[in-house]
Amino acid sequence: MTVPHIRDYQGKRIHMIGIGGSSMSGLAQMLREKGYIVSGSDNLETYTTRHLRDDLHIPVTIGHRAENVHGADLVVYTVAILPDNPERVELERLGLPSIERATLLGQLMEGFDTAIGVCGAHGKTTTTSMLSQVLMECGMDPSIHIGGSLDFIGGSTRIGRSGMFVAEACEFNASFLHLRPTVAVVLNIDADHLDFYRDIDHIEETFGKFLALLPPDGTAIGNGDDPRILRLFSALSVRRLTFGLGEGCDYTPGRLTYDEFGHASFDLCFHGDVLGHIALEVPGEFQVYNALAALACAHSQGADMAMACHAMNEFKGAHRRFELTGEVEGVKLYHDYGHNPTEMRNVLSVARLQPHGRLWAVMQPHTYSRVKRLFDDYLTCTEAADFTLVTDIYAAREKDPGDIKASQIVEGMRAHGVDAVHTPTFDDTEAYLRAHWQPGDLVLTMGCGNINQLNDQIWEHEQAKETNPKC
């Protein structure tokens, strides 16, 4: 069956199921700017859906209903939208052409001389954001698609005028295999998305397939401290560059130091030669790797490295990446998109370095399959916090199998000495926090579901109290 191509629907109506997602909302904006008529639907009203509707004037329906696809010329959906979704059922009944989100992204990247795909288990959004800001500051005018939001570009997408496209390449469901990169940046390979992948070897094999998409004159840039990446690189015939802390890497951080809050300073070195000095405003060792990856890619594409280093030093971070969302009753509220144990452990190590009284970790476990496969890792990933609250598992694209609950995580955490409490809903979690937190405490909510809305809820309730003290 022939796959529909977006170029054949110029000026026609594109309906997007799951338009509120970080990637889909950006693609919606990009399509609208390119002259397509865009509509969409999502199951929840969020800041993103309101922004699409109110600021970009894209019609967004809350709730998935069959009639939403009526009149559409092409339907785009994400892998989280299952075949039994009423809109997918209806488009099949009507015989409407449809494509998956990653296919659309790959089609939009076609025709660019330089197509950069940033992939990895952790750090994709931040590294893509870093690289985007660096390339723009260097005057390279790229088109951009990020799986998050970056204030520097005013959202998650940008249409540039050069022949360069930068995109976050997601490995979930092997969706990055729909892209056609000329430059591949591989940050790390780790066990995740085990509802799709058989095991870590299957994940490594799929990353190898992504690298195999590079043309003969392409460039592969990878973490030289990751043995799985090095193994994949050894089989490549394209140009290969590595970054990392190890001496054998092409790009390394010389004179690496950290301040008391975890911000790194270092000389950016290429084969021992200093290209510039970096003083990051985003904390954590993992940010050193992200910055090295972005700068290595920029250097490989001929960027002015004095300008590139200056741009990196100005980088403030992407939204939902250890983001300070507000302060309530003297308590600082942060949010991070981290949704597996490794990411949660990493961001808590950063939170621990910030000025605070007591550290509260609020975890929203994401998908039943991930919790089941990584269960033991969840039990200690918040041990850096003084207190841990665990909400119910966010199902996302899955249905409750009935054999795994958030309460089981809490029970296991307690057995490992973690002070954990099960607070099923956002209302439960807010009530517990307000009853127990103290001025000077730091609360970090973590997850890639809708846990960020808890921060919004707490802030909105506080604003309501200030407006009407009787509330």
Side-chain angles (χ1 to χ4, degrees), residues 328-344:
V328 173
E329 297 182 2
V331 177
K332 289 185 176 180
L333 304 177
Y334 283 81
H335 172 68
D336 191 83
Y337 194 76
H339 52 282
N340 64 43
T342 297
E343 293 169 347
M344 291 180 180

Side-chain angles (χ1 to χ4, degrees), residues 329-394:
E329 297 182 2
V331 177
K332 289 185 176 180
L333 304 177
Y334 283 81
H335 172 68
D336 191 83
Y337 194 76
H339 52 282
N340 64 43
T342 297
E343 293 169 347
M344 291 180 180
R345 191 182 300 275
N346 283 343
V347 72
L348 279 167
S349 71
V350 169
R352 194 80 210 170
L353 296 175
Q354 310 313 305
H356 68 279
R358 302 174 303 171
L359 176 57
W360 294 79
V362 181
M363 172 203 296
Q364 183 185 55
H366 190 265
T367 71
Y368 302 101
S369 59
R370 177 180 282 117
V371 172
K372 290 168 72 172
R373 295 293 293 269
L374 302 177
F375 185 81
D376 289 344
D377 295 326
Y378 274 101
L379 305 185
T380 58
C381 71
T382 65
E383 58 189 358
D386 297 297
F387 309 103
T388 297
L389 304 184
V390 182
T391 71
D392 280 342
I393 298 170
Y394 187 82

Side-chain angles (χ1 to χ4, degrees), residues 211-370:
L211 289 168
L213 297 174
L214 290 168
D217 60 347
T219 301
I221 301 169
N223 183 344
D225 296 336
D226 188 316
R228 291 185 180 273
I229 293 176
L230 289 180
R231 184 159 54 237
L232 292 177
F233 271 36
S234 68
L236 297 177
S237 58
V238 300
R239 180 188 184 197
R240 293 162 291 175
L241 297 167
T242 58
F243 61 86
L245 306 187
E247 293 183 0
C249 297
D250 296 305
Y251 296 86
T252 55
R255 299 190 302 158
L256 174 62
T257 61
Y258 296 88
D259 67 14
E260 66 271 30
F261 304 124
H263 301 101
S265 295
F266 58 90
D267 291 331
L268 174 64
C269 299
F270 177 61
H271 295 162
D273 294 331
V274 176
L275 301 180
H277 184 73
I278 302 299
L280 293 176
E281 293 197 22
V282 286
E285 182 182 79
F286 54 93
Q287 299 290 17
V288 175
Y289 279 95
N290 294 340
L292 287 172
L295 290 166
C297 185
H299 186 238
S300 76
Q301 299 307 303
D304 181 305
M305 293 314 291
M307 298 176 68
C309 291
H310 174 76
M312 184 61 70
N313 292 340
E314 295 293 313
F315 180 74
K316 310 293 185 185
H319 286 295
R320 295 194 71 179
R321 272 69 185 176
F322 196 60
E323 178 183 13
L324 176 63
T325 64
E327 185 171 333
V328 173
E329 297 182 2
V331 177
K332 289 185 176 180
L333 304 177
Y334 283 81
H335 172 68
D336 191 83
Y337 194 76
H339 52 282
N340 64 43
T342 297
E343 293 169 347
M344 291 180 180
R345 191 182 300 275
N346 283 343
V347 72
L348 279 167
S349 71
V350 169
R352 194 80 210 170
L353 296 175
Q354 310 313 305
H356 68 279
R358 302 174 303 171
L359 176 57
W360 294 79
V362 181
M363 172 203 296
Q364 183 185 55
H366 190 265
T367 71
Y368 302 101
S369 59
R370 177 180 282 117

Side-chain angles (χ1 to χ4, degrees), residues 424-471:
T425 69
F426 290 173
D427 288 344
D428 297 330
T429 307
E430 180 181 1
Y432 192 94
L433 286 169
R434 287 184 177 274
H436 294 87
W437 66 24
Q438 298 173 3
D441 286 357
L442 188 156
V443 173
L444 173 63
T445 62
M446 300 178 292
C448 68
N450 62 350
I451 186 67
N452 60 306
Q453 293 177 27
L454 172 60
N455 295 54
D456 297 338
Q457 172 180 308
I458 294 173
W459 179 252
E460 289 169 2
H461 288 169
E462 192 65 18
Q463 294 301 105
K465 284 171 53 181
E466 293 178 4
T467 303
N468 183 1
K470 295 182 180 180
C471 288

